[in-house]
Amino acid sequence: MTNTNDMNEMGALWKAQAVQPRALPADEIHRQHAALERRVGRRNMIEYLTAALVIVGVVGLVLLDVRLGAFGIGTVGLILLGIGGGVVAWQLHRRTGGAMPIDGARPSIEAYRDSLRRERDALASVARWYIGPMVPGMVTIYAGAFLKVPPGGRLFVIALAAVTAIAMAWVIRINRRGAQRIADELESHERG
């Protein structure tokens, strides 16, 4: 049988041991950093193109509404949606644009960790800066459609709004999951 004091002493000795961090070779750090920056750059390019298409589409629809004399709450919603698309592109660039190069000015692992932190923080807060700017336009568009359609078509507008809300919730969820994966990777690097 083991004495409790012996167990406590062994536990104290175990906890007092110096932990040797797991050191990643420099070429592995560079490879992982480059892969992260490529993924982020590719994603950002797709998002910028999407925002540009939204803005061009919105401008076209607003001009059409003006030409047809149909300027109303739906048109205001389109304008808000276009502004939201511009805000999203600006926020995306602000939060994740401009790769942090590994340039030798500081340890490579720190530059890589900073890139991971930047991406984690952007993904974790996507509801605020990515979905949030689109909500006023979407709500205004759906409210205008709801008021414009005959009572029999209102259920369809509500269904479309619900599908949009579900899609937005899904985007938030998958981005938070991605942020958690990055947080786990960061923790493994910091633990060693």
Side-chain angles (χ1 to χ4, degrees):
M1 204 122 117
T2 315
N3 186 341
T4 308
N5 285 338
D6 290 343
M7 291 298 284
N8 288 340
E9 288 176 26
M10 286 192 316
L13 284 172
W14 177 71
K15 289 180 182 176
Q17 291 183 68
V19 176
Q20 296 298 320
R22 177 182 63 124
L24 284 175
D27 60 332
E28 180 64 15
I29 293 169
H30 286 270
R31 188 189 65 71
Q32 289 182 9
H33 187 261
L36 174 67
E37 294 302 332
R38 272 193 310 275
R39 267 192 327 270
V40 169
R42 199 173 322 125
R43 185 224 32 229
N44 287 2
M45 185 56 63
I46 291 167
E47 295 291 346
Y48 296 144
L49 289 172
T50 302
L53 288 173
V54 166
I55 292 168
V56 167
V58 162
V59 168
L61 290 171
V62 168
L63 290 175
L64 182 64
D65 280 357
V66 168
R67 183 171 181 188
L68 297 174
F71 193 93
I73 192 167
T75 310
V76 172
L78 285 170
I79 292 168
L80 291 173
L81 189 62
I83 292 169
V87 169
V88 166
W90 170 67
Q91 285 289 330
L92 182 68
H93 178 71
R94 188 177 147 264
R95 292 171 187 270
T96 67
M100 298 181 143
I102 294 179
D103 57 6
R106 60 195 177 124
S108 298
I109 190 68
E110 284 305 313
Y112 178 52
R113 284 180 186 154
D114 286 348
S115 292
L116 286 171
R117 285 184 199 105
R118 182 189 69 204
E119 187 65 13
R120 177 204 59 203
D121 294 346
L123 294 176
S125 61
V126 82
R128 185 174 60 247
W129 67 267
Y130 187 84
I131 299 296
M134 304 299 246
V135 170
M138 298 305 294
V139 168
T140 306
I141 289 168
Y142 285 126
F146 184 83
L147 296 172
K148 200 176 218 178
V149 299
R154 289 183 176 165
L155 188 58
F156 181 68
V157 173
I158 292 169
L160 285 176
V163 168
T164 301
I166 290 167
M168 288 177 167
W170 178 75
V171 167
I172 292 167
R173 183 169 185 231
I174 62 170
N175 279 278
R176 285 187 179 159
R177 228 190 275 151
Q180 185 56 53
R181 279 195 304 273
I182 293 172
D184 293 345
E185 182 179 349
L186 266 167
E187 187 178 321
S188 77
H189 288 298
E190 290 169 358
R191 254 194 337 241

